[in-house]
Amino acid sequence: MSNVLHTLIEQASEKADAMAKNMAKTRQKLVHGQDKLNMLQTYRDECQNGMHSKASTGMTGQQLRNQTAFVGKIAEAIAQQTREVEFLNTTLIHQNTQWQEALAEQRKFEALVEREKLKQAKLENKRDQKMNDEFAARIYRVQTAGEAQ
C-alpha cells in the first residue's frame, strides 16, 4: 500500500508542478498583455491630443475623418486587448484553483502515508512493549524460582 501511495504522491506532485508552470506562463502572458493594453491606451490618448491640437490650428475635413477613423481602429484594438487581458485573468484564476486542488490531493496522500507510518510505529511499540513485558516476567520467574530453592 505504501508504494502505491508514494506513486500517487509523486503523480500529484508532478501534476501540481505542471500546473504551477502553466500558471507562470499565463501570468507572463497577462503581464505582456497588460503592458500592450497600456501602450495602446497611451498611444490613443496621444493621437487624440494630437488631433485636437491639429484641429485648432486648421485641419481639413478629410484629415479629421482619417484621424478619427485611425483613433477608432486604436479603440478597437484596445477593446480586443481588454478582452484578451480579461480572458487571461479568468484563466489564471481557474488555473490557480486547479493548482490548489492538486496540492490538496498531494497533501491528502501525504497524510495517508503519515498515518500509515504512525500506525506502524504504534504496532512496533506494542510489540516492543510486549517483548519487554515477557522478558521482565521471565526474569521475575527466574529470580523467584531461584529464591524458592
Side-chain angles (χ1 to χ4, degrees):
M1 179 170 154
S2 186
N3 286 338
V4 171
L5 286 175
H6 286 294
T7 301
L8 290 172
I9 289 170
E10 188 176 309
Q11 288 175 347
S13 176
E14 289 171 1
K15 183 178 177 181
D17 290 347
M19 289 180 174
K21 287 177 186 175
N22 285 340
M23 280 177 36
K25 288 177 186 176
T26 302
R27 196 172 286 120
Q28 187 178 21
K29 287 178 184 177
L30 179 61
V31 167
H32 178 71
Q34 189 62 52
D35 289 345
K36 186 175 178 180
L37 178 61
N38 293 339
M39 180 196 68
L40 285 168
Q41 289 169 335
T42 301
Y43 187 57
R44 177 202 56 206
D45 294 344
E46 289 172 357
C47 286
Q48 284 177 332
N49 291 337
M51 183 172 65
H52 291 298
S53 65
K54 285 181 186 176
S56 65
T57 60
M59 187 181 228
T60 66
Q62 183 62 37
Q63 289 173 326
L64 183 61
R65 280 191 296 279
N66 289 344
Q67 191 70 24
T68 303
F70 183 68
V71 170
K73 294 287 184 189
I74 296 172
E76 288 174 18
I78 288 171
Q80 181 179 355
Q81 191 62 31
T82 300
R83 286 189 299 274
E84 177 70 19
V85 167
E86 289 170 354
F87 171 78
L88 289 170
N89 270 321
T90 303
T91 301
L92 190 59
I93 290 168
H94 180 69
Q95 287 175 335
N96 188 45
T97 302
Q98 287 182 323
W99 176 65
Q100 292 292 334
E101 289 170 359
L103 287 177
E105 183 178 345
Q106 180 182 346
R107 283 192 288 273
K108 177 181 71 175
F109 292 136
E110 289 170 347
L112 287 173
V113 167
E114 195 58 37
R115 257 187 255 142
E116 183 66 27
K117 284 180 184 178
L118 287 173
K119 182 180 173 184
Q120 292 301 321
K122 284 180 182 179
L123 286 173
E124 195 172 310
N125 286 340
K126 273 186 174 180
R127 277 188 292 241
D128 289 348
Q129 185 62 45
K130 184 178 178 183
M131 285 176 47
N132 286 338
D133 291 347
E134 288 174 2
F135 184 70
R138 221 180 275 145
I139 290 174
Y140 176 74
R141 283 192 301 267
V142 168
Q143 286 177 348
T144 54
E147 291 173 8
Q149 294 176 356

